[in-house]
């Protein structure tokens, strides 16, 4: 079965001089385990996967896999052609990923028929389960319902992460075809679950606060789930701010003592003053607990 439930997308910690910070990566993964997540994901959009070399991806997956133990690990694939996507997918499978989350190619925009062809070929050669990542706001490439219906019959394709707004509508439209997980930093988490999603893949800095939301929702405590989710919305919305999202995720992780630096890689940008002020006010209101583990 494909991984479901709370599967945060791990940020990629860097040292102040820009190298992958393995100690912080381990700390971040340990924090997720302490939150009771159902899996973790690497190389997603919140991971700055676009800025990682193949050698770095290998190291990151190895370290996360070692800390995660039996917990499912999903690896993002963002190749801009079938050949490069297959290369990334096979490397992820060889590195121990339980599933790959695959974006369609987006530099040369594929036709609807080519989208189906692409995912079919990747599923045939990936060596592990494939999750379709439907994120047209980033890629400019829609994966329409007809394509999802066609791909549901392809061996190896087991799930879809819906990030096509409004996500609850798309979730309802594709739930009969594949296992559906929500994205968009859990902005519409409860409505996605109401319409057939069985998982969510947000950023990783507030997993301890999302876990109770899902638990309350599963137990029928909707008022509690809605109240807790609403309280998080200012932070959630700041975490999808264009150009600043990566810096927001890392600044929260830094202030909570989970990673050692908020360094990002170009074209991500460090926090600018307007966003930093808003984030500080939000964090003061939320009073998020510090993580006692920390890099070591």
């Amino acid at each position: 079965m494909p991984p479901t439930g709370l599967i945060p997308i791990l940020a990629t910690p860097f040292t102040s001089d820009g190298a992958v910070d393995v100690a912080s990566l381990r700390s971040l993964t340990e924090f997720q385990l302490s939150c009771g997540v159902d899996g973790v994901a690497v190389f997603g959009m919140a991971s700055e996967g676009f800025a990682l070399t193949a050698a770095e991806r290998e190291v990151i997956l190895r370290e996360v896999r070692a800390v995660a133990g039996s917990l499912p690990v999903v690896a993002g694939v963002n190749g801009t052609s079938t050949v490069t996507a297959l290369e990334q997918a096979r490397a992820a499978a060889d590195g121990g990923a339980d599933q790959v989350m695959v974006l369609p190619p987006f530099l040369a925009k594929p036709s609807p028929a080519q989208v189906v062809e692409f995912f079919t070929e990747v599923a045939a050669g990936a060596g592990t389960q494939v999750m379709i990542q439907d994120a047209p706001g980033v890629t400019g490439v829609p994966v329409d319902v007809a394509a999802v219906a066609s791909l549901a019959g392809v061996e190896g394709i087991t799930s879809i992460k819906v990030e096509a707004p409004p996500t609850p509508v798309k979730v309802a439209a594709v739930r009969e075809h594949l296992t559906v997980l929500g994205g968009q930093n859990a902005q519409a988490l409860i409505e996605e679950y109401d319409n057939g999603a069985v998982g969510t893949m947000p950023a990783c800095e507030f997993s301890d606060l999302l876990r109770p939301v899902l638990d309350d929702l599963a137990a029928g405590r909707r008022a509690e789930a809605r109240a807790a989710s609403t309280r998080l919305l200012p932070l959630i919305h700041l975490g999808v701010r264009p150009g600043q999202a990566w810096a927001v995720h890392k600044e929260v992780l830094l202030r909570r003592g989970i990673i050692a630096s908020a360094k990002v890689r170009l074209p991500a940008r460090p926090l600018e003053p307007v966003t930093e002020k808003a984030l500080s006010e939000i964090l003061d209101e939320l009073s998020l607990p510090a993580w006692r583990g920390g890099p070591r």
Side-chain angles (χ1 to χ4, degrees):
M1 297 295 292
T4 59
L6 178 55
I7 306 174
I9 309 292
L10 300 185
T12 303
F14 300 123
T15 62
S16 58
D17 61 1
V20 172
D21 183 347
V22 172
S24 286
L25 181 64
R26 290 174 182 154
S27 171
L28 176 57
T29 309
E30 289 166 355
F31 169 72
Q32 305 306 318
L33 270 62
S34 77
C35 297
V37 300
D38 299 297
V40 293
V42 294
F43 317 142
M45 283 183 276
S47 309
E48 295 173 82
F50 54 81
L52 299 173
T53 69
E56 288 171 335
R57 290 168 73 100
E58 181 180 356
V59 170
I60 290 164
L61 181 55
R62 182 178 67 237
E63 295 296 334
V64 170
R65 176 80 276 172
V67 176
S70 61
L71 204 68
V73 176
V74 179
V77 168
N78 59 359
T80 51
S81 68
T82 305
V83 171
T84 54
L86 275 169
E87 180 180 62
Q88 289 184 13
R90 288 167 181 156
D94 291 344
D98 299 287
Q99 185 161 23
V100 287
M101 176 177 66
V102 183
L103 283 170
F106 51 87
L107 288 182
K109 298 292 190 289
S111 68
Q114 287 177 317
V115 168
V116 173
E117 181 182 1
F118 167 79
F119 280 109
T120 300
E121 290 187 16
V122 171
T128 190
Q129 296 180 34
V130 169
M131 175 192 298
I132 298 166
Q133 186 173 10
D134 177 27
V138 174
T139 64
V141 179
V143 183
D144 61 29
V145 177
V148 175
S150 295
L151 291 168
V154 174
E155 184 177 357
I157 296 178
T158 60
S159 57
I160 181 169
K161 181 186 180 185
V162 170
E163 303 195 89
T167 55
V169 175
K170 186 65 172 285
V171 167
V174 301
R175 65 185 178 188
E176 66 181 89
H177 302 298
L178 289 169
T179 297
V180 185
L181 297 93
Q184 289 284 296
N185 208 24
Q187 293 178 82
L189 169 64
I190 292 177
E191 196 177 352
E192 288 168 355
Y193 265 71
D194 286 348
N195 285 282
V198 293
T200 185
M201 301 180 73
C204 63
E205 66 267 26
F206 52 98
S207 301
D208 51 337
L209 301 185
L210 278 181
R211 178 77 269 168
V213 173
L214 291 180
D215 292 345
D216 282 341
L217 196 61
R221 298 186 290 268
R222 288 187 63 85
E224 292 86 343
R226 290 186 65 83
S229 180
T230 299
R231 183 169 177 261
L232 285 172
L233 281 178
L235 179 59
I236 286 171
H237 288 157
L238 210 59
V240 293
R241 179 166 289 185
Q244 291 284 284
W246 301 283
V248 168
H249 304 321
K250 289 186 172 180
E251 185 66 22
V252 177
L253 292 168
L254 174 64
R255 295 191 192 188
R256 300 192 70 183
I258 298 167
I259 65 175
S261 169
K263 178 77 172 180
V264 295
R265 283 182 176 174
L266 192 136
R269 299 193 298 272
L271 279 183
E272 42 76 25
V274 172
T275 302
E276 184 173 14
K277 180 177 183 293
L279 179 60
S280 293
E281 290 178 349
I282 290 167
L283 293 180
D284 286 344
E285 292 169 1
L286 289 175
S287 298
L288 302 184
W291 165 238
R292 294 185 178 179
R296 57 188 183 280

